Structure formats: structure tokens, C-alpha cells
Amino acid sequence: MAHLSDSSFPTTKLPDVIPQLGELFQAAGFELSLVGGPVRDLFLGRVSPDLDFTTNARPDDIISVVRRWCDTYWEIGREFGTIGMRKDGFQIEITTYRADAYDPDSRKPAVAFGERLEDDLYRRDFTMNAMALRLPQMELVDPFGGLRDLNAGMVRTPGASASSFSDDPLRMMRAARFASQLGVTVAPEVFAAMKDMAGRIEIISAERVRDELVKLINGKSPADGVDLLVESGLADYVLPEVAALRLEIDEHHRHKDVYQHSLTVLRQACGLETGPDGPVPSPDFVLRFAALMHDVGKPATRRFEGTGAVSFLHHDVVGAKLTAKRMKALRFDNDTIKAVSRLVELHMRFYGYGDAGWSDSAVRRYVTDAGPLLQRLHRLTRSDVTTRNRRKAERLAFAYDDLEARIEKLAEQEELASIRPDLDGSQIMALLGIRPGPVVGRAYRFLLEERMENGPGTPGEAEAKLREWWQQQPESREAEELP
């Protein structure tokens, strides 16, 4: 965290579009300030391509000032006082000073325009986002100590936290997201308000909650953000399956509980992501969320054995269903739901490999079942090893090294990523003289099983096997053979 004073405001890092806009608005007789996250980010040594400004100009006035200056503009947020535009690669939003009044039972504010910059800053979520750079004079406006709190790594609200969260309950999730993205902690009064008001998150749309959750999971320290959701009680409403893990004892009896184990797996999965040119570029939401959710099936499957041990039979399958259900409730797209839930379903597949070894057929099935998720599955499986028993950890790591080596060796001989039968559907119908229908699918699956079990063969070998199989299907032959 940078330690900067008001006098060292990093104005040299400002892109040209910022002072240009300030001069345009001043010439037109209006106030303009860079505000919120972009100001905070300047103190963190970075410039965002998305720039937010606030002004006393009304939407029509904003358009009249910028229409000949910007590359393009749009009025989608006009009813909220916001005009968007693009200039020199920057996406810009300029919003009229706001003094919103919120209905406690509504998801949307009743928009009211304000007259003073300080009033606009007061309605913002956190003090570190309630700073402004008045333009074009480059004057820092920080009435609520945002720079102080940013330097201290502390999340505070400009006014009473309860009032702020009542205005917009999503701000509670945003506090957790900041813990993940910026490595900050929440002030005691902020945390107390989050605990008291956690249930208010239910009035927020699933889509807005989802978007905050994705940002949290993709942050630098997602486990810290998740932990804040759980400890504050917010997770009881947005991720109840994760909150429930606190009550479950890990089957290895090496961790405080399955919840702490899951946070460790999440941290380790982040550490195994790759650079932009690697197979799993960081941040990878699918891998990270699967790491967090991989054991959520344990509460429903916990059994106490006669030996005193605890088992979680089929928790992978149950967990995959719970994960898909939660993600559907949060309005995730189908592809993301399928990818995350599939990883949860497959995360236990590797165990036992080190003891018994696998046939080539089993390795082929592992690769085929993972499909395009294989590289993520590699990382999830390795991340799931959190035992403090060094010998056991080394044994599991060695076994997975061996499995990956075998996959690479087989991949050199076969197209593992796209295993198909040696005959396609058209060839099957022509060879057997049958019409399209379910029997073709059965024949295709038979050849696929043969391919998995024995590796690639010649078309002639596949034809012989298919004919032999067909002779054992008398009912199908009578019903499906063409006249």
C-alpha cells in the first residue's frame, strides 16, 4: 500500500483526457471533478481505462459540452444523470451531482440531483471512494479522510455504516470485494453493520450479487473476501453452501474444518494459475470457484462410521449438483455453470491412482471426461492436497506427476483431447444397414468403449468388432435393419 500525503498527489500520471475535460467544462461555466475509484487508483499507482467524473451540469448540458470532443457518446444512463462516452481509448462516464433518496424496500434509488460536490461524495460507498480531484485546478477534495483510510488499509463509510448499507445493501458485498482486491480490512463499525444488516442483501438482484462475487473471486486475495462474507453472515444468503462448511470436520482430521480446508484449496489454486500465455491464465474464475465449492457436498453426505471415522461418500456428485443449483440462482451463464460443476464432480477422480495405478484405458477416460477442463482439473486436484503430513503430500504429488507424464506420453500416440470411435455414425449405419435412431447411438457408444479400452485401431478392426456386437443384438437387428 502506497503511503502518500495530500501534497504528493500524483498528477503527473493523469492521462490527457482528464485535464482536457476539466478545461472544457470550466469554459462552459460548469464544475467537473474526477471522482471515486479512478482517484483512489491514482494513489495506488495505476490509471484505469474507465474514468468517472461528476459535475453540476445536467445531462443535456453534459452532452452539449462533450459532443464535439469525444469519439462517441451514449445516453443509456440518462435517467440517472449519467452520460457515457469514449475518447482516445478511455471509457468515460460523467454524472450530475447526486443526492439520492432510497426506499428501504426497493432495489433502485429515487434519483435526485444535487448542487454540491461534497454532498455527492457523502452518498458514496466508502471513504476511499469518496475522494475527488477538482478540475482543471487539480485540487484534491477529501472531506471524509479517504486518503487516510486508504493508507491505513481500512474500509470506512463516509457517514453511518448502517445508513450507507441501508441505502444500497450491495455495498456490504463490495466491502468484501475490496478485501479481496486491495488487501484491506473493514473497520469495526463497518463489520458490525454488515453483521446486523446481512439479511438486507436479499433485496438486491441476483445479477448484481453475481457480478460482485465474480470480482471478489477474481481478486488478489479471494479467500480473505470469502472469509469476510462468511464471518459477517452475508454468505448465509449468497453462498450458504460455503457457510455450512464451518460445521464439518475434515475426513483427514488435519484441518480445523472443511471450511478452512476449502479456503486453503482456493489459495493454492490461485497460486497454480499461469501467465497470459499459459493454459490457465490468472485470474481464472472457473478454477477458483470450483476450488471454493469442491467440498460443498460434504454436509449432506457426512456419515459416522463404526470405527469412529467420518465418511463423505459421493460428496463430489452431490457437491456438483449443489454448485450448479447455486450458480443458477445467481444467474450465471450455462457454460460457466457446467464448467464449474463438472470440476467439482471430477475433483475426487484421481484419488486411488497412487495406490493401484491406472490402465491406459483409465487414463484415457480421465482425459476424455475432463475434456477442455483438463488443465484446470490438474490444478484443482493438486490444490486439494492440504495435508500437513509431508510424506503423504509428497506421495500424492509424485503420483500426480506420474499421471500427467502418462497423459503426455499417451497424447503423443493418440489424440486424447478428441477421442472418437474408429467409425462415425454414417459408417455405422452403412455397415449395419440400419436407419438413424437410438440403435446407432448404442453402436457408437460400444465402439467408443472399445476405443477407450484398447486405444486406436484400424477401420477394419472396428468393423469386425461392430459386426460381432451386432450379431449379439437380435431384437435390434429385426427392428432396425433396412428392407
Side-chain angles (χ1 to χ4, degrees), residues 250-297:
D250 179 82
E251 77 269 32
H252 302 300
H253 303 284
R254 299 299 189 193
H255 306 285
K256 180 180 179 181
D257 53 31
V258 176
Y259 169 66
Q260 291 297 332
H261 162 75
S262 297
L263 293 187
T264 299
V265 174
L266 174 56
R267 292 186 186 99
Q268 294 185 165
C270 293
L272 293 178
E273 291 171 336
T274 67
D277 297 327
V280 185
S282 177
D284 188 271
F285 176 80
V286 169
L287 171 62
R288 293 182 178 201
F289 201 56
L292 177 63
M293 302 292 284
H294 78 285
D295 274 348
V296 296

mmCIF file of all heavy atoms in Angstrom, residues 250-297:
data_model
loop_
_atom_site.group_PDB
_atom_site.id
_atom_site.type_symbol
_atom_site.label_atom_id
_atom_site.label_comp_id
_atom_site.label_asym_id
_atom_site.label_seq_id
_atom_site.Cartn_x
_atom_site.Cartn_y
_atom_site.Cartn_z
ATOM 1 N N ASP A 250 -12.975 -32.159 8.673
ATOM 2 C CA ASP A 250 -12.308 -32.769 7.533
ATOM 3 C C ASP A 250 -12.009 -34.233 7.798
ATOM 4 O O ASP A 250 -11.637 -34.625 8.905
ATOM 5 C CB ASP A 250 -11.011 -32.012 7.242
ATOM 6 C CG ASP A 250 -10.256 -32.618 6.079
ATOM 7 O OD1 ASP A 250 -10.597 -32.320 4.931
ATOM 8 O OD2 ASP A 250 -9.332 -33.384 6.349
ATOM 9 N N GLU A 251 -12.195 -35.077 6.758
ATOM 10 C CA GLU A 251 -12.029 -36.521 6.972
ATOM 11 C C GLU A 251 -10.606 -36.917 7.312
ATOM 12 O O GLU A 251 -10.376 -37.991 7.847
ATOM 13 C CB GLU A 251 -12.520 -37.292 5.733
ATOM 14 C CG GLU A 251 -11.578 -37.302 4.536
ATOM 15 C CD GLU A 251 -11.855 -36.149 3.592
ATOM 16 O OE1 GLU A 251 -12.273 -35.086 4.069
ATOM 17 O OE2 GLU A 251 -11.654 -36.324 2.380
ATOM 18 N N HIS A 252 -9.626 -36.062 7.008
ATOM 19 C CA HIS A 252 -8.249 -36.394 7.339
ATOM 20 C C HIS A 252 -7.891 -35.988 8.765
ATOM 21 O O HIS A 252 -6.815 -36.322 9.252
ATOM 22 C CB HIS A 252 -7.296 -35.675 6.360
ATOM 23 C CG HIS A 252 -7.563 -36.040 4.928
ATOM 24 N ND1 HIS A 252 -7.478 -37.323 4.468
ATOM 25 C CD2 HIS A 252 -7.920 -35.278 3.869
ATOM 26 C CE1 HIS A 252 -7.767 -37.337 3.171
ATOM 27 N NE2 HIS A 252 -8.041 -36.112 2.795
ATOM 28 N N HIS A 253 -8.776 -35.234 9.407
ATOM 29 C CA HIS A 253 -8.542 -34.770 10.781
ATOM 30 C C HIS A 253 -7.248 -33.975 10.896
ATOM 31 O O HIS A 253 -6.575 -34.001 11.902
ATOM 32 C CB HIS A 253 -8.525 -35.954 11.763
ATOM 33 C CG HIS A 253 -9.782 -36.759 11.716
ATOM 34 N ND1 HIS A 253 -10.960 -36.332 12.297
ATOM 35 C CD2 HIS A 253 -10.054 -37.951 11.137
ATOM 36 C CE1 HIS A 253 -11.901 -37.246 12.086
ATOM 37 N NE2 HIS A 253 -11.377 -38.231 11.385
ATOM 38 N N ARG A 254 -6.914 -33.245 9.832
ATOM 39 C CA ARG A 254 -5.681 -32.458 9.839
ATOM 40 C C ARG A 254 -5.974 -30.959 9.812
ATOM 41 O O ARG A 254 -5.074 -30.166 9.967
ATOM 42 C CB ARG A 254 -4.821 -32.807 8.612
ATOM 43 C CG ARG A 254 -4.401 -34.264 8.557
ATOM 44 C CD ARG A 254 -3.559 -34.661 9.746
ATOM 45 N NE ARG A 254 -2.991 -35.981 9.587
ATOM 46 C CZ ARG A 254 -2.425 -36.665 10.561
ATOM 47 N NH1 ARG A 254 -2.374 -36.166 11.781
ATOM 48 N NH2 ARG A 254 -1.910 -37.845 10.328
ATOM 49 N N HIS A 255 -7.211 -30.584 9.574
ATOM 50 C CA HIS A 255 -7.551 -29.187 9.440
ATOM 51 C C HIS A 255 -8.605 -28.801 10.464
ATOM 52 O O HIS A 255 -9.326 -29.649 10.986
ATOM 53 C CB HIS A 255 -8.075 -28.902 8.027
ATOM 54 C CG HIS A 255 -7.138 -29.352 6.954
ATOM 55 N ND1 HIS A 255 -5.980 -28.675 6.653
ATOM 56 C CD2 HIS A 255 -7.164 -30.432 6.149
ATOM 57 C CE1 HIS A 255 -5.340 -29.316 5.687
ATOM 58 N NE2 HIS A 255 -6.041 -30.372 5.369
ATOM 59 N N LYS A 256 -8.698 -27.520 10.719
ATOM 60 C CA LYS A 256 -9.685 -27.021 11.674
ATOM 61 C C LYS A 256 -11.078 -27.474 11.266
ATOM 62 O O LYS A 256 -11.864 -27.934 12.087
ATOM 63 C CB LYS A 256 -9.607 -25.502 11.742
ATOM 64 C CG LYS A 256 -10.594 -24.870 12.702
ATOM 65 C CD LYS A 256 -10.442 -23.362 12.697
ATOM 66 C CE LYS A 256 -11.442 -22.716 13.641
ATOM 67 N NZ LYS A 256 -11.337 -21.240 13.631
ATOM 68 N N ASP A 257 -11.420 -27.368 9.993
ATOM 69 C CA ASP A 257 -12.692 -27.831 9.460
ATOM 70 C C ASP A 257 -12.624 -27.780 7.934
ATOM 71 O O ASP A 257 -11.651 -27.321 7.360
ATOM 72 C CB ASP A 257 -13.868 -27.013 9.995
ATOM 73 C CG ASP A 257 -13.673 -25.515 9.794
ATOM 74 O OD1 ASP A 257 -13.020 -25.123 8.803
ATOM 75 O OD2 ASP A 257 -14.163 -24.743 10.623
ATOM 76 N N VAL A 258 -13.660 -28.281 7.308
ATOM 77 C CA VAL A 258 -13.689 -28.326 5.858
ATOM 78 C C VAL A 258 -13.710 -26.909 5.275
ATOM 79 O O VAL A 258 -13.192 -26.673 4.182
ATOM 80 C CB VAL A 258 -14.900 -29.152 5.364
ATOM 81 C CG1 VAL A 258 -15.008 -29.120 3.845
ATOM 82 C CG2 VAL A 258 -14.770 -30.591 5.832
ATOM 83 N N TYR A 259 -14.282 -25.993 6.008
ATOM 84 C CA TYR A 259 -14.310 -24.604 5.546
ATOM 85 C C TYR A 259 -12.895 -24.058 5.397
ATOM 86 O O TYR A 259 -12.536 -23.502 4.351
ATOM 87 C CB TYR A 259 -15.129 -23.750 6.517
ATOM 88 C CG TYR A 259 -15.001 -22.269 6.273
ATOM 89 C CD1 TYR A 259 -15.483 -21.700 5.096
ATOM 90 C CD2 TYR A 259 -14.399 -21.438 7.212
ATOM 91 C CE1 TYR A 259 -15.366 -20.340 4.865
ATOM 92 C CE2 TYR A 259 -14.280 -20.085 6.990
ATOM 93 C CZ TYR A 259 -14.756 -19.536 5.822
ATOM 94 O OH TYR A 259 -14.631 -18.190 5.595
ATOM 95 N N GLN A 260 -12.084 -24.196 6.426
ATOM 96 C CA GLN A 260 -10.706 -23.709 6.342
ATOM 97 C C GLN A 260 -9.927 -24.449 5.265
ATOM 98 O O GLN A 260 -9.107 -23.862 4.559
ATOM 99 C CB GLN A 260 -10.012 -23.844 7.699
ATOM 100 C CG GLN A 260 -10.534 -22.898 8.767
ATOM 101 C CD GLN A 260 -10.299 -21.437 8.413
ATOM 102 O OE1 GLN A 260 -9.344 -21.097 7.697
ATOM 103 N NE2 GLN A 260 -11.162 -20.556 8.906
ATOM 104 N N HIS A 261 -10.193 -25.740 5.133
ATOM 105 C CA HIS A 261 -9.562 -26.513 4.066
ATOM 106 C C HIS A 261 -9.922 -25.931 2.698
ATOM 107 O O HIS A 261 -9.062 -25.776 1.817
ATOM 108 C CB HIS A 261 -10.013 -27.975 4.142
ATOM 109 C CG HIS A 261 -9.782 -28.771 2.896
ATOM 110 N ND1 HIS A 261 -8.536 -29.225 2.510
ATOM 111 C CD2 HIS A 261 -10.645 -29.189 1.930
ATOM 112 C CE1 HIS A 261 -8.634 -29.888 1.374
ATOM 113 N NE2 HIS A 261 -9.906 -29.884 0.995
ATOM 114 N N SER A 262 -11.184 -25.567 2.512
ATOM 115 C CA SER A 262 -11.631 -25.029 1.228
ATOM 116 C C SER A 262 -10.966 -23.695 0.913
ATOM 117 O O SER A 262 -10.618 -23.417 -0.246
ATOM 118 C CB SER A 262 -13.157 -24.878 1.218
ATOM 119 O OG SER A 262 -13.783 -26.144 1.360
ATOM 120 N N LEU A 263 -10.779 -22.865 1.936
ATOM 121 C CA LEU A 263 -10.072 -21.598 1.720
ATOM 122 C C LEU A 263 -8.616 -21.859 1.330
ATOM 123 O O LEU A 263 -8.063 -21.159 0.473
ATOM 124 C CB LEU A 263 -10.129 -20.730 2.976
ATOM 125 C CG LEU A 263 -11.493 -20.182 3.379
ATOM 126 C CD1 LEU A 263 -11.341 -19.212 4.553
ATOM 127 C CD2 LEU A 263 -12.197 -19.490 2.222
ATOM 128 N N THR A 264 -8.010 -22.857 1.936
ATOM 129 C CA THR A 264 -6.631 -23.204 1.598
ATOM 130 C C THR A 264 -6.545 -23.693 0.152
ATOM 131 O O THR A 264 -5.629 -23.326 -0.595
ATOM 132 C CB THR A 264 -6.094 -24.282 2.543
ATOM 133 O OG1 THR A 264 -6.113 -23.783 3.889
ATOM 134 C CG2 THR A 264 -4.660 -24.666 2.189
ATOM 135 N N VAL A 265 -7.501 -24.529 -0.256
ATOM 136 C CA VAL A 265 -7.526 -25.015 -1.639
ATOM 137 C C VAL A 265 -7.680 -23.844 -2.610
ATOM 138 O O VAL A 265 -7.020 -23.792 -3.660
ATOM 139 C CB VAL A 265 -8.661 -26.035 -1.838
ATOM 140 C CG1 VAL A 265 -8.788 -26.447 -3.307
ATOM 141 C CG2 VAL A 265 -8.406 -27.276 -0.977
ATOM 142 N N LEU A 266 -8.529 -22.887 -2.250
ATOM 143 C CA LEU A 266 -8.708 -21.698 -3.094
ATOM 144 C C LEU A 266 -7.400 -20.924 -3.225
ATOM 145 O O LEU A 266 -7.008 -20.534 -4.335
ATOM 146 C CB LEU A 266 -9.801 -20.814 -2.496
ATOM 147 C CG LEU A 266 -10.030 -19.443 -3.156
ATOM 148 C CD1 LEU A 266 -10.334 -19.590 -4.645
ATOM 149 C CD2 LEU A 266 -11.160 -18.697 -2.449
ATOM 150 N N ARG A 267 -6.711 -20.734 -2.120
ATOM 151 C CA ARG A 267 -5.428 -20.006 -2.173
ATOM 152 C C ARG A 267 -4.422 -20.768 -3.049
ATOM 153 O O ARG A 267 -3.705 -20.170 -3.865
ATOM 154 C CB ARG A 267 -4.865 -19.836 -0.769
ATOM 155 C CG ARG A 267 -5.670 -18.902 0.134
ATOM 156 C CD ARG A 267 -4.942 -18.676 1.455
ATOM 157 N NE ARG A 267 -5.764 -17.907 2.382
ATOM 158 C CZ ARG A 267 -6.483 -18.427 3.369
ATOM 159 N NH1 ARG A 267 -6.462 -19.748 3.571
ATOM 160 N NH2 ARG A 267 -7.196 -17.664 4.167
ATOM 161 N N GLN A 268 -4.350 -22.075 -2.878
ATOM 162 C CA GLN A 268 -3.378 -22.864 -3.630
ATOM 163 C C GLN A 268 -3.730 -22.908 -5.116
ATOM 164 O O GLN A 268 -2.838 -22.902 -5.976
ATOM 165 C CB GLN A 268 -3.285 -24.273 -3.041
ATOM 166 C CG GLN A 268 -2.714 -24.265 -1.640
ATOM 167 C CD GLN A 268 -2.474 -25.652 -1.041
ATOM 168 O OE1 GLN A 268 -1.771 -25.780 -0.029
ATOM 169 N NE2 GLN A 268 -3.030 -26.691 -1.622
ATOM 170 N N ALA A 269 -5.014 -22.923 -5.429
ATOM 171 C CA ALA A 269 -5.417 -22.916 -6.836
ATOM 172 C C ALA A 269 -4.994 -21.609 -7.502
ATOM 173 O O ALA A 269 -4.523 -21.606 -8.647
ATOM 174 C CB ALA A 269 -6.932 -23.110 -6.943
ATOM 175 N N CYS A 270 -5.145 -20.498 -6.783
ATOM 176 C CA CYS A 270 -4.697 -19.210 -7.334
ATOM 177 C C CYS A 270 -3.207 -19.251 -7.647
ATOM 178 O O CYS A 270 -2.750 -18.710 -8.661
ATOM 179 C CB CYS A 270 -4.982 -18.081 -6.334
ATOM 180 S SG CYS A 270 -6.735 -17.743 -6.057
ATOM 181 N N GLY A 271 -2.450 -19.901 -6.762
ATOM 182 C CA GLY A 271 -1.011 -19.979 -6.939
ATOM 183 C C GLY A 271 -0.582 -20.839 -8.113
ATOM 184 O O GLY A 271 0.564 -20.739 -8.569
ATOM 185 N N LEU A 272 -1.484 -21.679 -8.624
ATOM 186 C CA LEU A 272 -1.156 -22.560 -9.747
ATOM 187 C C LEU A 272 -1.641 -22.024 -11.093
ATOM 188 O O LEU A 272 -1.438 -22.665 -12.122
ATOM 189 C CB LEU A 272 -1.749 -23.955 -9.510
ATOM 190 C CG LEU A 272 -1.135 -24.746 -8.341
ATOM 191 C CD1 LEU A 272 -1.844 -26.090 -8.188
ATOM 192 C CD2 LEU A 272 0.362 -24.962 -8.553
ATOM 193 N N GLU A 273 -2.278 -20.865 -11.077
ATOM 194 C CA GLU A 273 -2.662 -20.248 -12.344
ATOM 195 C C GLU A 273 -1.411 -19.806 -13.103
ATOM 196 O O GLU A 273 -0.342 -19.657 -12.529
ATOM 197 C CB GLU A 273 -3.584 -19.053 -12.088
ATOM 198 C CG GLU A 273 -4.949 -19.438 -11.554
ATOM 199 C CD GLU A 273 -5.764 -18.248 -11.099
ATOM 200 O OE1 GLU A 273 -5.161 -17.200 -10.759
ATOM 201 O OE2 GLU A 273 -7.000 -18.361 -11.050
ATOM 202 N N THR A 274 -1.593 -19.594 -14.386
ATOM 203 C CA THR A 274 -0.450 -19.268 -15.240
ATOM 204 C C THR A 274 -0.508 -17.813 -15.693
ATOM 205 O O THR A 274 -1.471 -17.094 -15.430
ATOM 206 C CB THR A 274 -0.438 -20.173 -16.481
ATOM 207 O OG1 THR A 274 -1.575 -19.851 -17.304
ATOM 208 C CG2 THR A 274 -0.490 -21.634 -16.090
ATOM 209 N N GLY A 275 0.538 -17.402 -16.396
ATOM 210 C CA GLY A 275 0.553 -16.103 -17.043
ATOM 211 C C GLY A 275 -0.376 -16.094 -18.235
ATOM 212 O O GLY A 275 -1.003 -17.114 -18.562
ATOM 213 N N PRO A 276 -0.470 -14.968 -18.925
ATOM 214 C CA PRO A 276 -1.435 -14.834 -20.028
ATOM 215 C C PRO A 276 -1.222 -15.815 -21.168
ATOM 216 O O PRO A 276 -2.172 -16.131 -21.895
ATOM 217 C CB PRO A 276 -1.248 -13.393 -20.502
ATOM 218 C CG PRO A 276 0.088 -12.958 -19.951
ATOM 219 C CD PRO A 276 0.277 -13.712 -18.689
ATOM 220 N N ASP A 277 -0.017 -16.324 -21.332
ATOM 221 C CA ASP A 277 0.248 -17.259 -22.425
ATOM 222 C C ASP A 277 0.137 -18.717 -21.993
ATOM 223 O O ASP A 277 0.325 -19.623 -22.804
ATOM 224 C CB ASP A 277 1.638 -17.011 -23.007
ATOM 225 C CG ASP A 277 1.766 -15.629 -23.626
ATOM 226 O OD1 ASP A 277 0.750 -15.135 -24.159
ATOM 227 O OD2 ASP A 277 2.858 -15.034 -23.561
ATOM 228 N N GLY A 278 -0.149 -18.966 -20.710
ATOM 229 C CA GLY A 278 -0.250 -20.324 -20.207
ATOM 230 C C GLY A 278 -1.640 -20.905 -20.398
ATOM 231 O O GLY A 278 -2.557 -20.236 -20.874
ATOM 232 N N PRO A 279 -1.828 -22.176 -20.014
ATOM 233 C CA PRO A 279 -3.121 -22.841 -20.238
ATOM 234 C C PRO A 279 -4.237 -22.352 -19.320
ATOM 235 O O PRO A 279 -5.413 -22.502 -19.655
ATOM 236 C CB PRO A 279 -2.805 -24.320 -19.971
ATOM 237 C CG PRO A 279 -1.618 -24.305 -19.071
ATOM 238 C CD PRO A 279 -0.814 -23.107 -19.477
ATOM 239 N N VAL A 280 -3.901 -21.766 -18.154
ATOM 240 C CA VAL A 280 -4.932 -21.273 -17.226
ATOM 241 C C VAL A 280 -4.518 -19.875 -16.760
ATOM 242 O O VAL A 280 -4.023 -19.692 -15.642
ATOM 243 C CB VAL A 280 -5.112 -22.223 -16.016
ATOM 244 C CG1 VAL A 280 -6.276 -21.758 -15.142
ATOM 245 C CG2 VAL A 280 -5.354 -23.652 -16.486
ATOM 246 N N PRO A 281 -4.730 -18.862 -17.584
ATOM 247 C CA PRO A 281 -4.293 -17.509 -17.229
ATOM 248 C C PRO A 281 -5.009 -16.980 -15.991
ATOM 249 O O PRO A 281 -6.199 -17.230 -15.775
ATOM 250 C CB PRO A 281 -4.668 -16.680 -18.469
ATOM 251 C CG PRO A 281 -4.805 -17.671 -19.576
ATOM 252 C CD PRO A 281 -5.299 -18.921 -18.941
ATOM 253 N N SER A 282 -4.257 -16.260 -15.174
ATOM 254 C CA SER A 282 -4.806 -15.676 -13.947
ATOM 255 C C SER A 282 -5.450 -14.327 -14.250
ATOM 256 O O SER A 282 -4.923 -13.550 -15.048
ATOM 257 C CB SER A 282 -3.676 -15.482 -12.936
ATOM 258 O OG SER A 282 -4.126 -14.863 -11.758
ATOM 259 N N PRO A 283 -6.607 -14.034 -13.608
ATOM 260 C CA PRO A 283 -7.381 -14.888 -12.703
ATOM 261 C C PRO A 283 -8.360 -15.754 -13.495
ATOM 262 O O PRO A 283 -8.919 -15.312 -14.497
ATOM 263 C CB PRO A 283 -8.137 -13.875 -11.839
ATOM 264 C CG PRO A 283 -8.372 -12.717 -12.757
ATOM 265 C CD PRO A 283 -7.155 -12.646 -13.664
ATOM 266 N N ASP A 284 -8.568 -16.974 -13.040
ATOM 267 C CA ASP A 284 -9.471 -17.886 -13.720
ATOM 268 C C ASP A 284 -10.653 -18.181 -12.788
ATOM 269 O O ASP A 284 -10.522 -18.938 -11.828
ATOM 270 C CB ASP A 284 -8.764 -19.177 -14.109
ATOM 271 C CG ASP A 284 -9.641 -20.061 -14.985
ATOM 272 O OD1 ASP A 284 -10.397 -20.876 -14.428
ATOM 273 O OD2 ASP A 284 -9.574 -19.911 -16.214
ATOM 274 N N PHE A 285 -11.794 -17.581 -13.071
ATOM 275 C CA PHE A 285 -12.948 -17.724 -12.182
ATOM 276 C C PHE A 285 -13.385 -19.176 -12.062
ATOM 277 O O PHE A 285 -13.730 -19.637 -10.962
ATOM 278 C CB PHE A 285 -14.122 -16.867 -12.674
ATOM 279 C CG PHE A 285 -15.365 -17.066 -11.848
ATOM 280 C CD1 PHE A 285 -15.504 -16.416 -10.632
ATOM 281 C CD2 PHE A 285 -16.360 -17.932 -12.274
ATOM 282 C CE1 PHE A 285 -16.638 -16.621 -9.847
ATOM 283 C CE2 PHE A 285 -17.491 -18.143 -11.499
ATOM 284 C CZ PHE A 285 -17.630 -17.483 -10.277
ATOM 285 N N VAL A 286 -13.404 -19.905 -13.165
ATOM 286 C CA VAL A 286 -13.893 -21.290 -13.139
ATOM 287 C C VAL A 286 -13.065 -22.132 -12.178
ATOM 288 O O VAL A 286 -13.614 -22.858 -11.333
ATOM 289 C CB VAL A 286 -13.880 -21.891 -14.559
ATOM 290 C CG1 VAL A 286 -14.127 -23.398 -14.517
ATOM 291 C CG2 VAL A 286 -14.930 -21.210 -15.433
ATOM 292 N N LEU A 287 -11.748 -22.076 -12.279
ATOM 293 C CA LEU A 287 -10.887 -22.828 -11.376
ATOM 294 C C LEU A 287 -11.081 -22.367 -9.936
ATOM 295 O O LEU A 287 -11.233 -23.187 -9.025
ATOM 296 C CB LEU A 287 -9.427 -22.659 -11.794
ATOM 297 C CG LEU A 287 -8.384 -23.215 -10.810
ATOM 298 C CD1 LEU A 287 -8.554 -24.717 -10.638
ATOM 299 C CD2 LEU A 287 -6.970 -22.878 -11.272
ATOM 300 N N ARG A 288 -11.076 -21.074 -9.717
ATOM 301 C CA ARG A 288 -11.160 -20.553 -8.352
ATOM 302 C C ARG A 288 -12.490 -20.904 -7.688
ATOM 303 O O ARG A 288 -12.522 -21.312 -6.524
ATOM 304 C CB ARG A 288 -10.962 -19.037 -8.374
ATOM 305 C CG ARG A 288 -9.562 -18.610 -8.776
ATOM 306 C CD ARG A 288 -9.416 -17.102 -8.732
ATOM 307 N NE ARG A 288 -8.053 -16.693 -9.064
ATOM 308 C CZ ARG A 288 -7.530 -15.526 -8.720
ATOM 309 N NH1 ARG A 288 -8.262 -14.636 -8.040
ATOM 310 N NH2 ARG A 288 -6.287 -15.222 -9.053
ATOM 311 N N PHE A 289 -13.579 -20.743 -8.425
ATOM 312 C CA PHE A 289 -14.876 -21.018 -7.807
ATOM 313 C C PHE A 289 -15.053 -22.515 -7.573
ATOM 314 O O PHE A 289 -15.654 -22.925 -6.568
ATOM 315 C CB PHE A 289 -16.000 -20.460 -8.679
ATOM 316 C CG PHE A 289 -17.281 -20.257 -7.915
ATOM 317 C CD1 PHE A 289 -17.305 -19.460 -6.780
ATOM 318 C CD2 PHE A 289 -18.460 -20.844 -8.332
ATOM 319 C CE1 PHE A 289 -18.480 -19.261 -6.062
ATOM 320 C CE2 PHE A 289 -19.638 -20.651 -7.632
ATOM 321 C CZ PHE A 289 -19.651 -19.862 -6.495
ATOM 322 N N ALA A 290 -14.532 -23.335 -8.472
ATOM 323 C CA ALA A 290 -14.572 -24.784 -8.246
ATOM 324 C C ALA A 290 -13.762 -25.153 -7.005
ATOM 325 O O ALA A 290 -14.159 -26.031 -6.225
ATOM 326 C CB ALA A 290 -14.043 -25.523 -9.470
ATOM 327 N N ALA A 291 -12.621 -24.497 -6.803
ATOM 328 C CA ALA A 291 -11.808 -24.763 -5.620
ATOM 329 C C ALA A 291 -12.575 -24.413 -4.352
ATOM 330 O O ALA A 291 -12.523 -25.147 -3.351
ATOM 331 C CB ALA A 291 -10.504 -23.959 -5.697
ATOM 332 N N LEU A 292 -13.289 -23.304 -4.377
ATOM 333 C CA LEU A 292 -14.074 -22.914 -3.210
ATOM 334 C C LEU A 292 -15.227 -23.881 -2.954
ATOM 335 O O LEU A 292 -15.519 -24.225 -1.806
ATOM 336 C CB LEU A 292 -14.629 -21.500 -3.417
ATOM 337 C CG LEU A 292 -15.549 -20.962 -2.312
ATOM 338 C CD1 LEU A 292 -14.803 -20.831 -0.991
ATOM 339 C CD2 LEU A 292 -16.157 -19.631 -2.727
ATOM 340 N N MET A 293 -15.879 -24.339 -4.012
ATOM 341 C CA MET A 293 -17.104 -25.127 -3.882
ATOM 342 C C MET A 293 -16.870 -26.633 -3.891
ATOM 343 O O MET A 293 -17.824 -27.399 -3.735
ATOM 344 C CB MET A 293 -18.055 -24.769 -5.033
ATOM 345 C CG MET A 293 -18.429 -23.301 -5.125
ATOM 346 S SD MET A 293 -19.469 -22.736 -3.759
ATOM 347 C CE MET A 293 -21.057 -23.424 -4.230
ATOM 348 N N HIS A 294 -15.630 -27.083 -4.026
ATOM 349 C CA HIS A 294 -15.415 -28.505 -4.311
ATOM 350 C C HIS A 294 -15.918 -29.442 -3.223
ATOM 351 O O HIS A 294 -16.246 -30.594 -3.501
ATOM 352 C CB HIS A 294 -13.929 -28.771 -4.600
ATOM 353 C CG HIS A 294 -13.053 -28.821 -3.379
ATOM 354 N ND1 HIS A 294 -12.689 -27.685 -2.689
ATOM 355 C CD2 HIS A 294 -12.488 -29.869 -2.725
ATOM 356 C CE1 HIS A 294 -11.924 -28.038 -1.660
ATOM 357 N NE2 HIS A 294 -11.782 -29.349 -1.665
ATOM 358 N N ASP A 295 -16.013 -28.994 -1.998
ATOM 359 C CA ASP A 295 -16.451 -29.868 -0.904
ATOM 360 C C ASP A 295 -17.824 -29.522 -0.351
ATOM 361 O O ASP A 295 -18.194 -29.979 0.738
ATOM 362 C CB ASP A 295 -15.428 -29.827 0.241
ATOM 363 C CG ASP A 295 -14.285 -30.819 0.048
ATOM 364 O OD1 ASP A 295 -14.391 -31.684 -0.839
ATOM 365 O OD2 ASP A 295 -13.285 -30.715 0.782
ATOM 366 N N VAL A 296 -18.622 -28.721 -1.069
ATOM 367 C CA VAL A 296 -19.908 -28.300 -0.506
ATOM 368 C C VAL A 296 -20.896 -29.456 -0.382
ATOM 369 O O VAL A 296 -21.930 -29.320 0.282
ATOM 370 C CB VAL A 296 -20.544 -27.156 -1.324
ATOM 371 C CG1 VAL A 296 -19.688 -25.904 -1.272
ATOM 372 C CG2 VAL A 296 -20.822 -27.583 -2.771
ATOM 373 N N GLY A 297 -20.584 -30.605 -0.983
ATOM 374 C CA GLY A 297 -21.452 -31.768 -0.818
ATOM 375 C C GLY A 297 -21.227 -32.518 0.482
ATOM 376 O O GLY A 297 -21.990 -33.448 0.807
#
